[in-house]
Amino acid sequence: HSEKQAEVQTKVVTSSQEIPIFYRLILADGNWRVYDVVVENVSLVQNYRTQFNDILAQNDPEHLLQILRKRVKEQ
């Protein structure tokens, strides 16, 4: 990691298990911002990239944008 990147390693501890969660951060405009979360060695960024690539392999970019807009409205 560089001076503008950091990783914060945490654990969620329950009575039966410990779940590692890593927050990857980048320094932007003087503020640290999370750009990825890794839960049990699975990166959310990598997971979304795979999903997006699968959609784009069969559809145009506008179709992906429609899916994302719909998900945002549902929240």
Side-chain angles (χ1 to χ4, degrees):
H1 295 288
S2 71
E3 292 179 12
K4 294 188 177 192
Q5 291 183 315
E7 184 173 273
V8 177
Q9 300 179 1
T10 64
K11 279 187 216 176
V12 173
V13 180
T14 69
S15 60
S16 61
Q17 63 182 338
E18 292 184 0
I19 303 166
I21 302 175
F22 299 160
Y23 297 90
R24 294 182 177 160
L25 301 101
I26 191 163
L27 184 60
D29 301 323
N31 295 303
W32 286 100
R33 302 178 189 275
V34 174
Y35 71 87
D36 193 10
V37 179
V38 180
V39 180
E40 293 188 322
N41 296 317
V42 177
S43 161
L44 294 183
V45 168
Q46 187 61 43
N47 187 24
Y48 279 115
R49 183 176 294 139
T50 299
Q51 289 180 44
F52 293 171
N53 284 341
D54 290 346
I55 292 168
L56 290 170
Q58 299 177 17
N59 302 281
D60 62 10
E62 183 57 34
H63 183 76
L64 174 59
L65 292 173
Q66 289 174 358
I67 291 170
L68 294 174
R69 287 183 191 113
K70 182 179 177 188
R71 287 184 185 174
V72 167
K73 286 181 183 178
E74 292 173 354
Q75 303 217 3

